[in-house]
Amino acid sequence: MGIYLNPGKSSYEEAVNSEIYVDKSELIAYLNTVVKTKQKYVSVSRPRRFGKTMAADMICAYYDREADSRDLFEKVQLSKNSAASGKDRWDEYLGSFDVIRIVMTKFFKKTNSVDEGLEKMQRLVSRELMKKYPDADYFDEKDLIQTIEDAYAENKWQLVIVIDEWDAVFREFPEDKNGQITYLDFLRDLIKDKSYIALAYMTGILPIKKYGKHSALNMFTEYSMTYV
């Protein structure tokens, strides 16, 4: 279990075992319908305290191939409602992918520039990939996209990428328009039309469409708090 690569189930397990737990596990049933399709890009924009991080923890726990989460998901509504309704198997993609989980505020809240935050994030995530798959022929440890492509060429495990607080750059560097464009272009190049992506899931306070004419992330379907 890593910090960024295959982070496991412990955070979601704590939530499920807590006295107050809001079961949002049926979100997985929807996500399973878009996994490995052209609709595999999902963005959720909601205010703080609306459970975005808990849902991200749940997604990681479900898809992480190293998490061994069957017992955990057998407790929640995803499996119970699937069994009662006779719908498609709730565990179709359980434990099927490598998962990369990135909380963007960690990299942009205490850095001096967008470039500095991006460089730090890429090196840390790349380091875990290289430790996990040491036999791959890596070209540049500072280039996360290239590192993922090199690892995928070696192991063929598709990724679920979960990005929490994706809009951190816009909140921490509101005047840095060039930095914002650089960041959006990086996310596009990381995610869009990549064979190694099975699912991309992003959360944030601000919606993607807020950023006007720059359409680097126009492949995402956005869901706000107005969606049930």
Side-chain angles (χ1 to χ4, degrees), residues 36-49:
K36 300 170 73 171
T37 73
K38 294 296 186 182
Q39 292 74 48
K40 61 188 175 183
Y41 312 103
V42 177
S43 177
V44 174
S45 56
R46 292 177 183 172
R48 297 187 187 279
R49 307 302 179 189

Side-chain angles (χ1 to χ4, degrees), residues 111-129:
T111 53
N112 296 316
S113 68
V114 174
D115 286 341
E116 182 182 334
L118 275 176
E119 180 182 356
K120 181 178 180 182
M121 181 271 291
Q122 291 188 79
R123 293 184 68 175
L124 286 171
V125 179
S126 292
R127 182 176 67 171
E128 288 199 6
L129 276 162

Side-chain angles (χ1 to χ4, degrees), residues 1 5-9 59-70 93-100 129 132-133 151 155-160:
M1 184 177 75
L5 177 63
N6 295 335
K9 63 181 179 181
I59 291 165
C60 291
Y62 180 87
Y63 291 109
D64 186 337
R65 69 185 184 89
E66 298 179 351
D68 191 19
S69 295
R70 178 171 293 275
Y93 292 113
L94 178 68
S96 293
F97 305 106
D98 276 336
V99 173
I100 289 179
L129 276 162
K132 181 66 179 177
Y133 298 109
N155 62 63
K156 299 304 181 185
W157 283 102
Q158 282 187 295
L159 287 172
V160 169

